[in-house]
Amino acid sequence: MSEVLVLIDAPQGKVTKPSLELLTIARRIGEASAVVFADADGQSADTSVLAEYGAEKIYTYADSTFAEYLVAPKAEALAALVAEKSPAAVLVPSTSEGKEIAARVALKSEAGLITDAIDVAVDGGSITTTQAAFAGNFTVAAQVTKGAPVIAVKPNSAAPEAAAGAGTVEAVSFDVPESAKQVKIVSSEARVSTGRPELTEAAIVVSGGRGTGGDFSEVEALADALGAAVGASRAAVDSGWKPHTFQVGQTGKTVSPQLYVANGISGAIQHRAGMQTSKTIVAVNKDEEAPIFELVDFGVVGDLKSVLPQATEEITKRKG
Ligand code: FAD
């Protein structure tokens, strides 16, 4: 069976859920091989988790040079691995770093590139991706016709499935050329933990807009009852109610969770651009004419100050 290379994202050594999703997708295509780069402290991803989610081989790069420079060294090393292993496909997380690495690897390997994939299907050996295009207004089915497809896959495109893989660790080295050392990282800050899932990775996102009036307590209580991340519209961010890291939309983050709950958000095109590939969309808005209701699966016309506490109470009760 052909090998499928999966670039693993593991900040502080912890393998992210989207990386496990990629291993699951890789197994639809062939044998999953994880590719892991050590971080600046020389810390590597927990390889046992990768084996538990089906990695047959795990290629590890221990050199901390990869963490000292932005993307280029990783892209060079991955492209060299592609040339050596001739995989059936290369899967990377559709983060800003992942997409840049994917583009560079595709260019170096003279292979087709697909970004923002929200599904990857395999039929008789041919790989078809579903891709969100034009700010999520269209979904496009696409196939790569040249080289091993390099595919950047959005979080929540598959449920991570455990499957015992051999997890054979193979240490690999790569001499990073000077040409790839042009952008050095001078400082980095660990993400401040909110105790909630990361917005772009979360399976459920509960967002608030101008309709919250600046009080996000009901939005946050519902998010916590659902184990969700909290998001915000630009109006809420511009009002100073939440930092920009919470913003969903064209000039914020793109999310594609299983469930997106929009509260007091009108549904402007720029907000939709960041959330309309969500699998199920629910909105609470007191204006029944609000444009957000055009794209919801379930809509509640009402004041979020009274609807959300009732929903939170019911969910908490059912969780027992
Ligand atoms: P509003 O449009 O003011 O809507 C508030 C809604 O809350 C209304 O529908 C109202 O009926 C409802 N409401 C009020 N009170 C209650 C209540 N008590 N209970 C229930 N419902 C209530 N926007 C983004 O979100 N993300 C972006 O990335 C983004 N990028 C942009 C980029 C550009 C270049 C531009 C021009 C705009 C961008 N915008 C973005 C802004 C966007 O156009 C909208 O202005 C913004 O999304 C509106 O935010 P909102 O829905 O929270 O506020």
Side-chain angles (χ1 to χ4, degrees):
M1 213 197 280
S2 344
E3 193 173 14
V4 178
L5 297 180
V6 176
L7 179 62
I8 300 297
D9 195 13
Q12 285 96 45
K14 192 174 180 306
V15 177
T16 61
K17 182 170 153 276
S19 299
L20 302 179
E21 293 167 12
L22 293 187
L23 289 173
T24 302
I25 293 171
R27 285 189 287 108
R28 293 179 196 159
I29 305 169
E31 260 184 18
S33 293
V35 180
V36 175
F37 290 94
D39 64 17
D41 306 321
Q43 204 177 353
S44 189
D46 176 2
T47 51
S48 61
V49 176
L50 301 173
E52 277 167 34
Y53 281 84
E56 295 297 337
K57 280 196 194 136
I58 303 168
Y59 298 112
T60 56
Y61 293 85
D63 187 352
S64 61
T65 309
F66 292 107
E68 286 169 26
Y69 298 88
L70 284 183
V71 299
K74 287 182 186 169
E76 296 274 349
L78 190 53
L81 195 63
V82 170
E84 189 190 328
K85 305 289 176 189
S86 302
V90 182
L91 305 181
V92 305
S94 197
T95 56
S96 33
E97 180 185 87
K99 283 196 271 193
E100 194 172 338
I101 291 175
R104 287 167 183 256
V105 170
L107 194 67
K108 288 220 152 257
S109 317
E110 296 187 14
L113 165 74
I114 288 175
T115 57
D116 292 328
I118 51 173
D119 196 15
V120 181
V122 186
D123 186 11
S126 66
I127 302 168
T128 305
T129 61
T130 306
Q131 189 185 14
F134 297 110
N137 281 309
F138 293 90
T139 50
V140 178
Q143 283 182 344
V144 164
T145 54
K146 186 164 187 259
V150 182
I151 309 170
V153 186
K154 281 188 163 209
N156 296 308
S157 296
E161 285 165 20
T168 310
V169 177
E170 197 176 305
V172 264
S173 58
F174 178 76
D175 282 335
V176 179
E178 287 305 310
S179 60
K181 294 182 180 172
Q182 292 184 3
V183 187
K184 195 171 168 62
I185 298 170
V186 282
S187 74
S188 64
E189 281 174 33
R191 193 188 291 151
V192 180
S193 173
T194 58
R196 299 191 180 102
E198 211 283 314
L199 184 54
T200 55
E201 296 173 7
I204 306 176
V205 174
V206 180
S207 287
R210 203 194 309 270
T212 61
D215 177 4
F216 264 63
S217 56
E218 289 92 359
V219 170
E220 288 169 349
L222 178 61
D224 291 340
L226 290 167
V230 173
S233 71
R234 177 160 161 181
V237 170
D238 284 353
S239 302
W241 302 336
K242 285 286 168 200
H244 184 256
T245 48
F246 284 67
Q247 186 175 316
V248 172
Q250 186 184 317
T251 43
K253 289 181 175 162
T254 304
V255 300
S256 192
Q258 296 295 330
L259 173 64
Y260 186 88
V261 189
N263 303 289
I265 293 176
S266 59
I269 185 79
Q270 296 89 354
H271 187 78
R272 292 178 184 208
M275 46 66 75
Q276 63 186 347
T277 57
S278 305
K279 311 292 176 296
T280 301
I281 299 173
V282 176
V284 179
N285 196 303
K286 66 180 185 186
D287 174 9
E288 63 177 33
E289 303 289 331
I292 191 83
F293 286 130
E294 290 163 14
L295 81 161
V296 298
D297 298 283
F298 303 98
V300 181
V301 179
D303 186 336
L304 66 90
K305 303 278 170 204
S306 88
V307 175
L308 298 197
Q310 292 177 60
T312 304
E313 191 185 334
E314 191 59 32
I315 290 161
T316 310
K317 208 188 301 170
R318 288 187 189 205
K319 281 200 305 191

